[in-house]
Amino acid sequence: MQQFFLRIQRPLRRMRPAQIIVLVFLAIILLGAALLTLPVASESGQPADFLTALFTATSATCVTGLIVVDTGVYWSAFGKTVILIMIQIGGLGFMTIASIFFFALRQKIGLKQRLVLSQAFSMDDMSGIVRFVKNVLLGTLVVEGAGAVVLCLCFWPEFGFLRALKYGVFHSISAFCNAGFDILGDLEAGGSLCRYVADPVVNLTVMLLIVTGGLGFAVWGDVRRNRRFSRLTVYTRLVLLITAGLIFGGAAIFALLEWNNPGTIGNLTPGGKILASLFQSVTLRTAGFTTIDQNALGDVSKAVSDLLMFIGGSSGSTAGGVKTVTIGVVILYAVGTARGQSQVTAFKRAVSPRAVSQAIAIVLLVFALALFGAGFISVCDKVSLENSLYETISALCTVGLTTGITGSLGTASRLLIIIYMFFGRVGIMTISVGFMAANPASERTQYAQTKIMIG
């Protein structure tokens, strides 16, 4: 076994951590797609076409949730197991899962592995990374286990113990990893968790799992160590404040806009409307579950949904998007510039100019890609630009929500969505941490400044 690990590590030693992450994710997707094309993976016993398998494998590994065939109906128990494993690997990262084998075999985690782990969790410091990973694995087991137990108890009266246990485990992992895959196969009720739109236990459990996974593992550790808000790091305080503002602010907006819309929450009780609005606001943070018809949302509600999907969760978490603190830094920069300030500050601490420039670059890049993809799909598949933008943001920010157009997309659009899901899971991270690093040689050349007109 030791020789096996040495053979795996040898070709990786010359690669940068960002390159390793990209290649490993790609390998997992291709392996998963190959497994899903096997006849045993489909319920009918007929092999799935490769594009369908590739789309599903990419969506699962990149914890997105967009699907072209219903997961609960189309895939067999083997196929669902493959999807669940890819979701767990995609949510925690390959090196985090691989660390289990290192710990079990008492193998030392080398410098290269520590670099990959620190980059996977968006951490600048490698000190304590092994202990951090152990805490992540233990915390994940506890949270997903607790969620599985609660959901199993909710499903038990309706499905019996064995099916309830299967549903509980699958949906707990899917929710914590912000994947949005479901295996209920409840198409008559609208799919996903639409049947449970008014069930407070199911809704609150799934929401807690989504939020816990989307806060970020570093935030977990900081809150566990310090507990008092004033002692938390600036990053953790920003994450908590922005997350709370987005969740409750988004819920209030959806309740206000959709209160009388019979296609979404209009026919629910007042309590059900508040619960559905809160769930909608939470699931848009890249989770992908839904309890209401996304296509029935009003135009303004769809625009708000686009914004929340675009922001997503926090760095080093199971969520996607441009990340909460990234948007927070951009807003602080804009407000500070408008007030004539030359420095971005938060909680009496200065944010480095490098971090500000990275945040602006990420936001602009993702926004440009989303617009390009929306235009591409709208032209190729004759879909409204509004729904196309919803789809591309959902893919690029690994959300998984759709207005119902995913299954009807042509080959070119599906390939674009596959690329966007892959880029959303590994591209934004590697650009923000790895590929944005300047070339030291080019930095030696300094050019004379010039004047340009702004505004």
Side-chain angles (χ1 to χ4, degrees):
M1 184 62 71
Q2 186 174 4
Q3 292 296 323
F4 174 74
F5 278 109
L6 290 174
R7 289 180 182 179
I8 293 178
Q9 295 175 33
R10 194 171 295 128
L12 300 179
R13 288 173 180 169
R14 299 178 182 178
M15 297 182 184
R16 296 175 61 187
Q19 295 171 324
I20 295 174
I21 291 172
V22 171
L23 291 177
V24 168
F25 264 92
L26 182 60
I28 293 170
I29 289 171
L30 293 176
L31 176 60
L35 292 174
L36 291 178
T37 56
L38 298 175
V40 71
S42 68
E43 194 66 44
S44 65
Q46 298 297 319
D49 65 273
F50 183 72
L51 184 59
T52 297
L54 180 63
F55 193 102
T56 304
T58 305
S59 185
T61 307
C62 298
V63 290
T64 304
L66 289 174
I67 54 174
V68 290
V69 293
D70 186 81
T71 309
V73 175
Y74 186 87
W75 302 108
S76 66
F78 174 80
K80 293 169 187 172
T81 302
V82 171
I83 291 171
L84 186 63
I85 292 172
M86 287 189 290
I87 289 172
Q88 189 72 87
I89 293 174
L92 294 181
F94 170 77
M95 277 305 302
T96 307
I97 301 297
S99 298
I100 297 175
F101 297 98
F102 280 97
F103 297 146
L105 298 173
R106 300 184 181 277
Q107 294 289 321
K108 184 178 180 181
I109 298 179
L111 178 62
K112 193 72 173 183
Q113 290 79 24
R114 292 168 190 257
L115 283 169
V116 175
L117 285 169
S118 61
Q119 178 152 340
F121 288 109
S122 301
M123 297 175 66
D124 297 326
D125 190 3
M126 287 191 301
S127 62
I129 188 65
V130 175
R131 183 173 64 255
F132 177 80
V133 170
K134 289 181 179 179
N135 290 334
V136 167
L137 292 170
L138 179 60
T140 298
L141 179 64
V142 171
V143 174
E144 289 182 347
V149 169
V150 175
L151 291 176
C152 177
L153 294 175
C154 292
F155 295 141
W156 193 347
E158 185 177 0
F159 300 107
F161 176 72
L162 290 179
R163 287 181 66 188
L165 179 63
K166 177 177 68 174
Y167 289 167
V169 171
F170 190 99
H171 293 97
S172 178
I173 293 175
S174 183
F176 177 78
C177 293
N178 280 228
F181 278 81
D182 77 279
I183 56 172
L184 294 171
D186 195 6
L187 301 181
E188 292 184 2
S192 194
L193 300 178
C194 288
R195 182 194 296 190
Y196 302 97
V197 62
D199 188 319
V201 179
V202 172
N203 276 258
L204 291 173
T205 301
V206 173
M207 280 190 282
L208 284 172
L209 288 166
I210 293 169
V211 172
T212 303
L215 283 176
F217 301 108
V219 173
W220 287 12
D222 193 18
V223 171
R224 184 176 62 86
R225 286 191 305 271
N226 297 307
R227 301 191 181 185
R228 290 178 59 182
F229 186 80
S230 59
R231 294 180 179 177
L232 300 176
T233 64
V234 171
Y235 172 77
T236 299
R237 282 184 272 179
L238 284 172
V239 167
L240 294 177
L241 289 176
I242 295 172
T243 298
L246 291 173
I247 290 174
F248 294 107
I253 293 173
F254 282 118
L256 179 65
L257 295 174
E258 300 293 320
W259 193 266
N260 295 316
N261 183 351
T264 54
I265 65 174
N267 296 325
L268 300 174
T269 63
K273 292 178 181 181
I274 295 173
L275 185 64
S277 298
L278 187 61
F279 189 92
Q280 175 73 3
S281 181
V282 170
T283 196
L284 286 166
R285 312 300 308 292
T286 83
F289 288 106
T290 181
T291 56
I292 59 175
D293 183 4
Q294 300 299 298
N295 194 38
L297 290 169
D299 293 342
V300 178
S301 296
K302 285 183 180 179
V304 174
S305 298
D306 286 338
L307 178 60
L308 291 177
M309 289 192 296
F310 185 83
I311 296 172
S314 301
S315 300
S317 72
T318 61
V322 298
K323 305 298 188 293
T324 50
V325 174
T326 303
I327 287 293
V329 168
V330 172
I331 293 174
L332 288 173
Y333 174 74
V335 171
T337 301
R339 297 176 61 184
Q341 297 176 345
S342 59
Q343 198 175 46
V344 177
T345 60
F347 297 105
K348 298 182 180 181
R349 293 290 188 274
V351 180
S352 70
R354 181 180 179 80
V356 174
S357 62
Q358 287 181 348
I360 295 172
I362 291 171
V363 170
L364 291 177
L365 177 61
V366 176
F367 183 69
L369 287 173
L371 286 180
F372 169 79
F376 182 89
I377 292 176
S378 183
V379 170
C380 290
D381 293 278
K382 309 301 180 186
V383 179
S384 69
L385 186 62
E386 179 184 58
N387 288 343
S388 298
L389 184 62
Y390 201 95
E391 192 82 5
T392 53
I393 292 178
S394 180
L396 195 56
C397 298
T398 68
V399 182
L401 291 175
T402 178
T403 56
I405 68 172
T406 310
S408 63
L409 295 178
T411 301
S413 295
R414 290 190 185 188
L415 289 173
L416 178 70
I417 294 298
I418 288 172
I419 294 171
Y420 272 20
M421 288 189 293
F422 181 78
F423 181 79
R425 182 63 182 128
V426 299
I428 298 173
M429 177 176 59
T430 51
I431 287 175
S432 62
V433 181
F435 295 131
M436 273 190 174
N439 185 352
S442 64
E443 289 291 295
R444 298 192 187 104
T445 303
Q446 297 293 326
Y447 297 99
Q449 291 186 355
T450 185
K451 292 184 178 181
I452 56 176
M453 291 186 289
I454 301 294

